[in-house]
DNA sequence: CTGAAAGCGCTAACAT
DNA sequence: ATGTTAGCGCTTTCAG
């Protein structure tokens, strides 16, 4: 590397002291306009490029926010946008890392963030109560980097820190109570619990919660009304065919464990001539895209991920630079939203 | 902030000079084992955490690789893993940024990377030949940060730099020539060009290339054999129904512009009783997941994104630290792979 | 084997 | 309005 250009060189060329360059380059009003221009000119002539490492080291702040997500999935796309737009206008840049569901990696990269002196951290953990989770939190608090957890919020979270997210049961409770309020008593469930990996895990967790919520609402869930598929993306048709077959004793409404599946079921039903909501009602979870064919829109429950992310960003902004974390740890619960559509009507 | 712990403090506690701490902490053999242990103990007692900013500034290398992707989508998941595994074992950390298809942002964050002195850059550009693209490249070269472009490789790319990727026409040529070699003359296309945004753009581009390739291969593509849907994820059924209807004069094979769509079509056809490959053959593009029902596997063309990424990583590793970019700019073209399946057979 | 000292490039309080 | 000077926390020769 042929020696990098520094403010010294610029100072020499512009014929001023190097601290003047520092100020001038950042447009400090104390420096005369003409001088600033001269400095800027010299800088561009030399292809000067500021060294943020030095700036951060000296200034005490890197103006970078670390973001720790579990995986590179579409799911985080909008939350990321929310973070981006919040922090961008405050002069912060985001650096995103992915744990890939590997706790070891998660821990290391989190530490890495801290050692690189990010000004704050948004963290969507892979788990919320394991030993590793607790330990990593302690580590983080030792580093004193402000951070906020994003995702679920459990009542009995073993760690005291800022966290923003939704409760697990709420969205399902919302969907079920909505169906029940419409008079539905015979409700089926569409799900894909046999899937491997994270998606399957989500389905299994949700089905489990659905069972619990059904019980809470005094609804019986017959095993034969649990419509399983082994394809999250394209299993809708399989389920729709079973529903069509089962003319006589089918449920009056279906709750799908995820909107992607719900959409597949819905589009397939419509294509097969089973009318929604006339023949059967349908509601999903996690808003993906609402419009179906025939002008029907899918009812669903939004988990408000973007809103949660925005809240998390705001909290982080607030605690950054505050007197040494002497702000109370906040626990913000974002309520899910019932998104009405034309796919559900009162049970006839 | 109550003063951060530094090597000075550790040195004091351990009763050695602070440069000794620096060496000891990095396990330098020149320091006696017993001293190293004492230092380590003192460090952990004080909750000492090294400051990488200072280390990078002083050491001249940040051990960070900047990664610039267009959007947070599933598409980049495996490439990211490939990068991660390559660089992790060399002691580098990845910092991922997303342009969100915004050239302005893309430029800024790229600069940001450089000013933060990342050791190298992997960049999947939003466009490959606009004015902004050229200008950003010039900028990057001025910063002298080694970088390699990842994605498409066009023959007439206006910029000379390291780049790795595939050609646009090749995968389609591969699919079409395969079908033709099986004797298919009447080939239909499944696509979703009316979609908004990036996905729609991809479909439009591909259809255009498909038209060209058909012409090159002396195949006629009737407008009525272009099977359009307006749903990338769940449009398969719609298309499958049209295929089933059209018993008499339907194509003997279908080329789907993307595997997600191909899978939807395939699963729907099977469910509707149209046999693959007996009644109709099917091939996709971009391997998503190959298994269908009935033990059928989908034929497709892999774009070898992971392989390309791995190559890009290797190139970057090689030029990092090399004599001031005095290595020739490489242009690596990764060939697509025809992935055979049971969904295509010779035309009867 | 360990200590002293000179930077890395920049910021910021204090002088002039 | 500009220049002086002392760090920021660490690496890295070079002496001892």
């Amino acid at each position: 590397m042929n020696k990098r250009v520094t403010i010294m060189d610029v100072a020499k060329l512009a014929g001023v002291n190097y601290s003047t360059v520092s100020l001038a380059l950042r447009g400090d009003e104390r420096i005369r306009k003409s001088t600033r221009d001269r400095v800027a000119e010299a800088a561009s002539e030399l292809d000067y490029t500021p060294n943020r490492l030095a700036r951060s080291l000296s200034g005490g702040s890197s103006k970078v926010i670390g973001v720790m997500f579990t995986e590179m999935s579409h799911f985080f796309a909008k939350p990321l946008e929310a973070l981006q737009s919040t922090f961008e206008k405050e002069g912060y840049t985001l650096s995103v890392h992915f744990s890939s569901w590997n706790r070891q990696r998660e821990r290391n990269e989190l530490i890495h963030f801290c050692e690189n002196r990010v000004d704050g951290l948004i963290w969507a953990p892979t788990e919320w109560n394991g030993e590793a989770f607790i330990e990593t939190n302690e580590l983080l608090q030792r580093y004193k980097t402000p951070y906020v957890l994003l995702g679920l919020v459990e009542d009995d979270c073993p760690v005291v820190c800022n966290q923003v997210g939704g409760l697990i049961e709420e969205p399902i409770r919302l969907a079920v109570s909505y169906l029940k309020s419409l008079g539905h008593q015979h409700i089926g469930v569409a799900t894909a619990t046999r899937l491997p990996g994270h998606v399957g895990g989500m389905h299994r967790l949700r089905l489990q919660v659905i069972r619990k919520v059904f019980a809470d609402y005094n609804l019986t869930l017959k095993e034969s009304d649990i419509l399983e598929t082994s394809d999250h993306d394209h299993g809708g048709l399989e389920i729709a065919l079973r529903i069509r077959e089962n003319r006589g004793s089918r449920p009056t409404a279906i709750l799908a464990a995820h909107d992607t599946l719900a959409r597949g079921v819905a589009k397939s039903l419509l294509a097969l001539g089973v009318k929604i909501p006339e023949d059967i009602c349908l509601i999903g979870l996690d808003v993906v895209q609402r419009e179906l064919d025939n002008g029907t829109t899918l009812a669903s429950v939004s988990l408000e991920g973007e809103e949660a992310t925005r809240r998390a960003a705001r909290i982080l902004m607030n605690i950054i630079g505050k007197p040494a974390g002497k702000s109370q740890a906040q626990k913000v619960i974002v309520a899910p939203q019932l998104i009405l559509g034309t796919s559900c009507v009162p049970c006839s």
Side-chain angles (χ1 to χ4, degrees), chain A:
Chain A
M1 301 265 180
N2 34 9
K3 256 186 132 351
R4 281 238 144 88
V5 182
T6 77
I7 32 173
M8 310 284 267
D9 304 307
V10 178
K12 227 169 284 165
L13 213 185
V16 295
N17 185 281
Y18 76 114
S19 68
T20 307
V21 175
S22 172
L23 293 174
L25 250 27
R26 282 173 298 154
D28 195 301
E29 292 290 336
R30 286 173 299 180
I31 308 297
R32 204 191 304 139
K33 180 88 171 62
S34 64
T35 318
R36 269 184 286 162
D37 290 347
R38 197 147 39 84
V39 171
E41 208 171 303
S44 89
E45 183 148 338
L46 294 172
D47 276 348
Y48 166 73
T49 63
N51 183 330
R52 277 180 204 266
L53 290 180
R55 178 175 292 182
S56 303
L57 178 58
S58 179
S61 151
S62 63
K63 284 299 194 178
V64 172
I65 300 292
V67 178
M68 189 74 197
F69 284 155
T70 51
E71 60 181 16
M72 175 99 100
S73 91
H74 181 68
F75 177 80
F76 288 116
K78 277 189 280 182
L80 181 72
E81 277 303 316
L83 291 177
Q84 202 119 330
S85 64
T86 305
F87 287 112
E88 202 165 55
K89 67 177 66 131
E90 306 280 351
Y92 289 90
T93 307
L94 302 184
S95 174
V96 186
H97 287 195
F98 299 89
S99 66
S100 308
W101 301 98
N102 175 336
R103 297 186 227 308
Q104 182 67 38
R105 176 133 89 198
E106 183 174 44
R107 205 191 88 117
N108 291 344
E109 309 251 305
L110 243 14
I111 293 177
H112 207 272
F113 272 140
C114 293
E115 297 188 342
N116 274 303
R117 296 297 185 269
V118 295
D119 290 341
L121 231 31
I122 298 278
W123 175 25
T126 65
E127 55 157 8
W128 285 78
N129 43 21
E131 207 169 301
F133 173 69
I134 297 176
E135 193 208 309
T136 304
N137 270 279
E138 283 168 357
L139 210 55
L140 234 37
Q141 313 204 341
R142 207 170 296 140
Y143 274 87
K144 304 207 202 94
T145 303
Y147 72 103
V148 6
L149 259 40
L150 177 64
L152 301 179
V153 171
E154 302 192 20
D155 291 326
D156 57 347
C157 180
V159 168
V160 176
C161 66
N162 293 288
Q163 40 194 109
V164 178
L167 298 170
I168 306 175
E169 292 187 14
E170 286 316 298
I172 290 172
R173 209 176 285 282
L174 210 52
V176 172
S177 71
Y178 173 58
L179 289 180
K180 190 166 182 195
S181 77
L182 290 176
H184 294 280
Q185 292 286 140
H186 186 186
I187 302 173
V189 174
T191 185
T193 60
R194 290 188 304 257
L195 245 41
H198 182 230
V199 179
M202 176 200 73
H203 277 282
R204 284 188 290 277
L205 173 61
R206 288 193 176 172
L207 179 57
Q208 184 185 320
V209 175
I210 288 171
R211 287 202 142 97
K212 176 169 185 306
V213 171
F214 267 55
D216 290 352
Y217 281 90
N218 281 318
L219 292 165
T220 41
L221 178 56
K222 286 190 288 182
E223 290 306 308
S224 60
D225 286 333
I226 297 178
L227 306 163
E228 285 268 3
T229 171
S230 49
D231 190 328
H232 179 71
D233 298 306
H234 300 291
L237 178 54
E238 182 189 341
I239 289 177
L241 284 170
R242 296 224 294 279
I243 291 175
R244 187 180 63 171
E245 237 91 286
N246 187 20
R247 287 209 67 109
S249 64
R250 70 182 166 211
T252 58
I254 300 285
L255 166 61
H258 188 94
D259 253 27
T260 300
L261 188 53
R263 283 184 65 76
V265 172
K267 294 200 105 175
S268 302
L269 283 175
L270 291 173
L272 295 175
V274 179
K275 294 197 173 47
I276 300 173
E278 292 82 352
D279 298 332
I280 193 164
C281 295
L282 183 66
I283 188 168
L285 288 170
D286 291 355
V287 174
V288 167
Q289 192 196 338
R290 305 191 50 225
E291 288 71 29
L292 302 173
D293 308 318
N294 311 53
T296 315
T297 60
L298 184 64
S300 187
V301 176
S302 161
L303 269 38
E304 299 293 287
E306 270 184 85
E307 173 61 11
T309 311
R310 228 170 283 122
R311 300 280 289 269
R314 224 173 306 142
I315 291 179
L316 186 56
M317 273 308 312
N318 280 337
I319 58 180
I320 285 178
K322 274 283 160 54
K326 242 31 281 163
S327 52
Q328 281 293 319
Q330 294 183 58
K331 202 162 171 174
V332 175
I333 293 172
V334 175
Q337 298 289 337
L338 180 64
I339 307 289
L340 266 29
T342 56
S343 68
C344 290
V345 291
C347 181
S348 46

